[in-house]
Amino acid sequence: MKRFVRICALGIALMIPDFALASTWKIDQDHSSVGFSVKHLMVSNVRGSFTRFSGTVDLDDRDITAAKVSATIDASSINTNVQKRDDHLRGADFFDVAKYSNITFVSKKWSRIPDGKMKVTGNLAMHGITKQVVLNVEPFSKEIRDAWGKTRRATTATARINRQDFGITWNKALDAGGLTIGDEVDIVLEMELIKSDT
């Protein structure tokens, strides 16, 4: 009987670390960023960001391909540091935030690639249209404990989308040829995560 109890105890002890590796993390908006860039006049890049967003990541370090992410961005929080341009971007020519207030992303598949990086395929919903996009995700950092006892880790993700795919089509032709705004948008996500207490 004692031998049976010891075997059970050993089994439980071996299982506990595995359970501990599965965890939920929340995006820390104060130490994260959602940035983008797009060509202007075909010669330079205009950069901007969204300043209000939230999301969670479910991670299992035993099998990163089982991870899940869900995020929401407040489209009205767009900021390119030019008020007139930002107002135009919020209007009907672009994001039409009065009608489509949020941008959302929900992952569907995580795949490993060389150097510990990942490709995360998911549904991006923007401007009333949902399309599948792929994020290129750097390896997650090691866990650290901050001065207030919170456990943190971080990663960076990038993607390129075509705004035309989401019905954001406004543009103006240039007299010398070309267009005022490029169609391809480069996205850079710098995500610092806080481990959920629950």
Side-chain angles (χ1 to χ4, degrees):
M1 182 65 180
K2 289 182 178 179
R3 185 170 180 273
F4 175 75
V5 171
R6 286 197 298 270
I7 292 173
C8 289
L10 177 61
I12 292 171
L14 291 172
M15 290 170 62
I16 288 174
D18 285 344
F19 282 120
L21 290 173
S23 52
T24 297
W25 302 74
K26 295 181 180 179
I27 296 173
D28 179 5
Q29 180 181 284
D30 293 341
H31 299 96
S32 301
S33 63
V34 176
F36 64 87
S37 65
V38 63
K39 282 289 185 184
H40 178 243
L41 301 177
M42 315 305 291
V43 295
S44 65
N45 288 309
V46 170
R47 302 184 186 279
S49 65
F50 294 91
T51 59
R52 292 190 296 275
F53 49 88
S54 62
T56 59
V57 182
D58 293 325
L59 287 177
D60 185 342
D61 286 317
R62 296 166 302 180
D63 182 10
I64 197 66
T65 63
K68 297 178 181 178
V69 60
S70 176
T72 300
I73 299 168
D74 180 350
S76 69
S77 71
I78 193 167
N79 178 22
T80 65
N81 294 316
V82 177
Q83 184 66 50
K84 185 177 180 180
R85 180 168 60 206
D86 293 344
D87 290 341
H88 190 195
L89 290 170
R90 294 185 186 102
D93 285 338
F94 288 93
F95 288 98
D96 198 0
V97 300
K99 187 181 296 184
Y100 309 109
S101 58
N102 290 326
I103 301 166
T104 62
F105 178 81
V106 178
S107 67
K108 297 299 180 183
K109 179 183 178 182
W110 292 59
S111 304
R112 285 188 179 276
I113 57 176
D115 301 323
K117 298 179 181 180
M118 294 155 285
K119 285 190 177 295
V120 179
T121 303
N123 290 335
L124 178 65
M126 179 168 62
H127 196 245
I129 296 174
T130 300
K131 292 285 185 178
Q132 185 172 283
V133 301
V134 177
L135 300 178
N136 299 298
V137 181
E138 295 292 322
F140 285 87
S141 70
K142 293 181 179 179
E143 296 182 13
I144 64 162
R145 184 79 61 145
D146 68 20
W148 297 270
K150 297 289 186 181
T151 303
R152 296 174 178 266
R153 66 194 311 183
T155 188
T156 300
T158 60
R160 174 172 286 181
I161 63 172
N162 190 313
R163 64 190 181 92
Q164 297 267 352
D165 292 341
F166 296 90
I168 302 176
T169 60
W170 186 93
N171 224 327
K172 282 188 176 181
L174 301 174
D175 292 340
L179 297 169
T180 301
I181 304 171
D183 288 334
E184 291 186 332
V185 182
D186 289 320
I187 299 168
V188 179
L189 310 173
E190 298 284 355
M191 296 289 103
E192 186 168 309
L193 310 172
I194 302 175
K195 193 172 187 179
S196 177
D197 295 330
T198 57

